[in-house]
Amino acid sequence: MDSSLVIGLGGLGVLLALIVIRVPIAYSMIVVGLGGAAILSGPQIVLYQLKDLAYAQFSIYDVSVVPMFVLMGNFASRIGLSRDLFNAANAWLGRFRGGVAMAAVAACAGFGAVCGSSLATASTMGQVALPELRRLNYAPSLATGTLAAGGTLGILIPPSVVLVIYAIIVEANIVTMFMASLIPGLLAMVMFMITISIYCWFRPEAGPVGDPLTAQQRRNATVAVLPVLVIFGLVIGGIYAGAFNPTPAAAVGAFLVALYGLARGRMSGATFIGALLDTAKTTGMIYLILLGAELLKIFLARGGVPQAAADAMLSSGLHPYVILLLLLLALIILGCLMDSLSMILLAIPFFWPVLVGLDFGMDEESLKIWFGVIALVVVELGLITPPVGLNVFIINAIATDVPMSQTFKGVFPFFLTELVRVALLVSFPAIILFLPRLLS
């Protein structure tokens, strides 16, 4: 075996060890990337590359969309937009058995459309919906499981920060990725609601009917949420229609959400400054992870690790769909160790060279779109997979009186639903590719 490949594989082992002992993923990738590249090429070459690497990485125009979408999400979470969404959904769905849980799922999808983060969606909606679910005596496992699973919708319903990063890595069109993710995201919302309905059919006591509302109360709740729907329509509709690119669309979205907060009397100076500071912290974290991923990619490329992995897979004689299944299983396992953004940054540089050499009966651009959406769905799955499942931990931190085992028990039906959705998306690529082909 080539010595460079041995060093590359050794570096990969060190990286996984650092992740297991909970060293932040950005620092782990930077240390391994710099150290490995210095061993392979010498410290002078590494220092020379560092001179321009950060500028080259962050001066890409597409990367500027990240802070704008993060800012829009921070505004949305601070002005109580999540509560408006939940109240509106609950007004129409709460009268059914398990309806308040369904309303929480619908609100998660709506909030994900202006937030773009699964962890933020789970945290925000957990604080909004959990008190109401408790008041109505929902089964603790169903209440917490629904919110943990519903939070995963934030990563796929456009706009999504992780989807943007994936598009940058594989050089796919961000607008096309947003188009492709809409139907699978809405499919997840519908399937989660069906799962709740089936669960409550077998266990009626787990999901009581919500409080009865008058027609006027229902109209008031709906009118209150109309500005949110208009904002989503302008941002995503504008992107789909070609009125503006994702970065100005995100800026328009952030401005409109802030304007909505001012109109409702919820946007104070402290709220505005707090949202800006949180955006700066989150964006700095994301950019540091991006820099670490680039350093790691340079080191592993020099060690020949991605190409060796691709050659091993392609020469294995396995059917392309078997190889795809193995890659998706690897993503689920990684989901037990790290957050969704880190998973995409770490895995895709390895997985993409393998996939591009396989025959799935589609061109390379379609393959980027198809696999990207499937990968994000599987990343969602990792967020609720034991023994870690970050969304489960977030909801459990809010519902401190519910044992972790109960939350994982409540998540299990949604886990099975997600497996069904993955099978559908793999078997029928048209579910993903239909909208991009139609709108292009």
Side-chain angles (χ1 to χ4, degrees):
M1 187 181 292
D2 185 86
S3 60
S4 296
L5 181 58
V6 172
I7 294 171
L9 292 174
L12 192 59
V14 172
L15 175 67
L16 293 175
L18 291 173
I19 293 171
V20 168
I21 63 174
R22 312 308 295 173
V23 175
I25 184 71
Y27 301 144
S28 300
M29 291 192 291
I30 289 172
V31 168
V32 172
L34 285 176
I39 293 172
L40 287 176
S41 306
Q44 295 86 356
I45 299 296
V46 174
L47 291 174
Y48 179 78
Q49 282 188 329
L50 279 176
K51 181 177 67 175
D52 300 319
L53 184 63
Y55 176 79
Q57 185 74 5
F58 303 137
S59 61
I60 301 171
Y61 178 71
D62 287 345
V63 178
S64 63
V65 73
V66 173
M68 288 292 97
F69 277 136
V70 173
L71 179 62
M72 184 168 67
N74 278 323
F75 280 154
S77 63
R78 286 173 175 268
I79 65 174
L81 186 148
S82 54
R83 184 167 297 281
D84 293 338
L85 287 165
F86 176 70
N87 289 340
N90 190 31
W92 291 98
L93 297 172
R95 50 185 166 169
F96 303 107
R97 188 163 294 282
V100 181
M102 296 180 197
V105 169
C108 284
F111 189 73
V114 291
C115 174
S117 166
S118 288
L119 301 182
T121 300
S123 175
T124 303
M125 292 310 306
Q127 296 174 54
V128 170
L130 193 59
E132 182 68 7
L133 292 167
R134 279 176 161 165
R135 187 182 69 81
L136 294 170
N137 294 318
Y138 268 66
S141 58
L142 177 61
T144 54
T146 296
L147 293 169
T152 63
L153 296 173
I155 198 177
L156 193 59
I157 298 284
S160 164
V161 173
V162 179
L163 199 62
V164 170
I165 299 302
Y166 170 85
I168 292 171
I169 293 172
V170 302
E171 298 180 0
N173 185 281
I174 295 175
V175 176
T176 306
M177 293 302 305
F178 281 176
M179 294 177 184
S181 65
L182 182 61
I183 293 177
L186 295 176
L187 180 64
M189 181 184 72
V190 172
M191 291 179 70
F192 281 176
M193 289 183 179
I194 293 172
T195 301
I196 294 168
S197 179
I198 294 173
Y199 188 95
C200 293
W201 188 73
F202 283 104
R203 289 190 57 198
E205 76 285 355
V209 177
D211 298 330
L213 297 177
T214 65
Q216 183 61 45
Q217 288 175 315
R218 203 171 288 121
R219 279 195 296 271
N220 290 342
T222 304
V223 169
V225 83
L226 285 179
V228 181
L229 301 180
V230 170
I231 292 171
F232 175 76
L234 287 173
V235 173
I236 299 302
I239 292 174
Y240 288 177
F244 32 61
N245 291 327
T247 299
V252 169
F255 173 75
L256 291 176
V257 172
L259 200 63
Y260 172 76
L262 282 172
R264 297 295 299 269
R266 301 173 182 175
M267 179 64 76
S268 64
T271 301
F272 183 80
I273 297 298
L276 289 180
L277 290 175
D278 282 351
T279 299
K281 292 175 185 176
T282 303
T283 304
M285 177 197 70
I286 293 173
Y287 280 8
L288 190 62
I289 293 175
L290 284 171
L291 179 62
E294 187 64 22
L295 289 168
L296 183 67
K297 185 171 73 174
I298 291 172
F299 160 55
L300 294 177
R302 287 179 178 170
V305 177
Q307 192 57 49
D311 292 343
M313 284 286 188
L314 295 175
S315 62
S316 64
L318 295 173
H319 192 278
Y321 280 94
V322 175
I323 294 176
L324 176 63
L325 178 61
L326 292 174
L327 297 181
L328 296 180
L329 286 173
L331 279 177
I332 293 176
I333 293 170
L334 284 174
C336 298
L337 300 173
M338 61 187 73
D339 63 275
S340 53
L341 177 61
S342 302
M343 288 167 62
I344 291 295
L345 286 168
L346 183 61
I348 297 305
F350 286 95
F351 292 179
W352 181 243
V354 175
L355 289 163
V356 78
L358 299 173
D359 182 15
F360 290 98
M362 62 184 76
D363 59 75
E364 185 175 324
E365 287 304 312
S366 297
L367 181 62
K368 287 178 183 178
I369 298 166
W370 179 60
F371 176 69
V373 173
I374 292 173
L376 258 69
V377 173
V378 174
V379 165
E380 288 179 6
L381 198 58
L383 293 173
I384 55 174
T385 302
V388 180
L390 290 178
N391 273 19
V392 176
F393 274 80
I394 286 174
I395 296 300
N396 203 252
I398 299 170
T400 54
D401 58 328
V402 180
M404 187 78 71
S405 58
Q406 285 292 308
T407 305
F408 276 120
K409 179 183 175 182
V411 156
F412 185 70
F414 298 100
F415 183 88
L416 296 179
T417 301
E418 286 286 74
L419 291 180
V420 172
R421 184 162 63 116
V422 171
L424 287 173
L425 297 178
V426 170
S427 303
F428 304 102
I431 297 174
I432 296 171
L433 300 175
F434 169 74
L435 198 57
R437 289 173 177 172
L438 177 69
L439 297 179
S440 64

